[in-house]
Amino acid sequence: DTAVSQTPKYLVTQMGNDKSIKCEQNLGHDTMYWYKQDSKKFLKIMFSYNNKELIINETVPNRFSPKSPDKAHLNLHINSLELGDSAVYFCASSLQAEQYFGPGTRLTVT
Amino acid sequence: SQQGEEDPQALSIQEGENATMNCSYKTSINNLQWYRQNSGRGLVHLILIRSNEREKHSGRLRVTLDTSKKSSSLLITASRAADTASYFCAFGPYTGTASKLTFGTGTRLQVTL
């Protein structure tokens, strides 16, 4: 069974569009995260939620809005997409310090 | 930058050899973790070492931590082709609720037959 899943796996869209990425975990973890990995493989945390409450909010443009309907789901909505948003976005979850990552969503903005 | 620095950036070895990669960081930590990322995949947690530990083993993995030098190393013994991947160190405060991890720049390991 998949532990942390993301949809879609690939997303190609044009500048200015709005898109969402969904994440679900079946590990029973309380905390979920969004990360962005750029073309140089640099991985940076964006947000974290614990039991539906936002607890980490890094310096991310407010075009990015996370939403956690319940502790097993954390979605990422991006408004007015820009070329620089092209990256791989990873969702992760944790119970303690170790984090469990999803397979990633490759976003390409043209 | 608070980002961890890893070296080497890339490492190519033959199957059966050992691979060592190093991580340096600048902040105080309470633990340091190592993750593996296969091409096109998500990261997989390998091992966590706490700040009061100097060495930890897990299977063919050996991790050391020197908090005075703010550095860690990951040793993979008797490497296999399946070990080909990128390896990242990660560190950050664990609050009891979440880990705000900062990742290193990564080491790309290629193991050839």
Side-chain angles (χ1 to χ4, degrees):
Chain A
D1 285 343
T2 305
V4 182
S5 60
Q6 295 179 228
T7 54
K9 189 169 173 61
Y10 299 97
L11 187 52
V12 181
T13 188
Q14 291 186 326
M15 284 174 55
N17 285 350
D18 303 338
K19 290 293 179 185
S20 292
I21 307 171
K22 298 189 175 194
C23 178
E24 176 180 2
Q25 55 96 2
N26 63 5
L27 297 167
H29 292 168
D30 291 331
T31 306
M32 297 183 71
Y33 310 79
W34 277 111
Y35 287 87
K36 179 181 180 181
Q37 187 174 45
D38 64 21
S39 57
K40 295 184 179 179
K41 304 294 185 189
F42 175 45
L43 199 68
K44 187 166 169 51
I45 191 167
M46 300 172 70
F47 303 103
S48 178
Y49 271 74
N50 176 265
N51 275 321
K52 303 192 295 178
E53 184 179 338
L54 181 66
I55 55 172
I56 296 174
N57 186 354
E58 288 297 280
T59 308
V60 176
N62 57 16
R63 298 181 295 103
F64 290 78
S65 52
K67 282 190 173 52
S68 182
D70 56 61
K71 75 172 194 178
H73 295 83
L74 180 61
N75 304 322
L76 183 65
H77 187 75
I78 315 170
N79 288 326
S80 303
L81 278 155
E82 300 178 356
L83 292 176
D85 298 332
S86 293
V88 182
Y89 292 85
F90 287 100
C91 176
S93 71
S94 70
L95 188 61
Q96 297 183 356
E98 302 90 335
Q99 295 186 15
Y100 295 79
F101 283 76
T105 295
R106 181 173 294 276
L107 172 65
T108 303
V109 183
T110 61
Chain B
S1 166
Q2 299 300 308
Q3 183 180 343
E5 297 290 329
E6 290 186 57
D7 75 270
Q9 285 188 338
L11 180 59
S12 184
I13 59 174
Q14 290 193 317
E15 209 172 42
E17 295 181 334
N18 295 342
T20 299
M21 47 207 89
N22 304 294
C23 169
S24 61
Y25 57 91
K26 295 179 181 177
T27 62
S28 296
I29 62 169
N30 53 19
N31 70 78
L32 186 139
Q33 304 178 45
W34 285 88
Y35 288 80
R36 184 187 75 229
Q37 184 178 29
N38 290 82
S39 181
R41 302 284 187 94
L43 282 78
V44 174
H45 181 264
L46 294 176
I47 195 165
L48 177 150
I49 186 165
R50 292 188 165 74
S51 58
N52 61 355
E53 298 174 308
R54 304 213 25 109
E55 189 170 310
K56 197 163 182 180
H57 296 252
S58 176
R60 294 184 296 112
L61 305 180
R62 173 179 162 245
V63 169
T64 62
L65 179 64
D66 187 334
T67 53
S68 66
K69 294 181 179 177
K70 289 186 163 45
S71 67
S72 175
S73 67
L74 171 67
L75 168 67
I76 304 173
T77 60
S79 63
R80 304 167 182 168
D83 294 328
T84 294
S86 291
Y87 292 81
F88 295 88
C89 65
F91 51 89
Y94 176 58
T95 64
T97 302
S99 283
K100 186 177 172 182
L101 292 180
T102 297
F103 281 81
T105 48
T107 293
R108 287 191 318 277
L109 173 65
Q110 176 78 41
V111 182
T112 55
L113 295 171

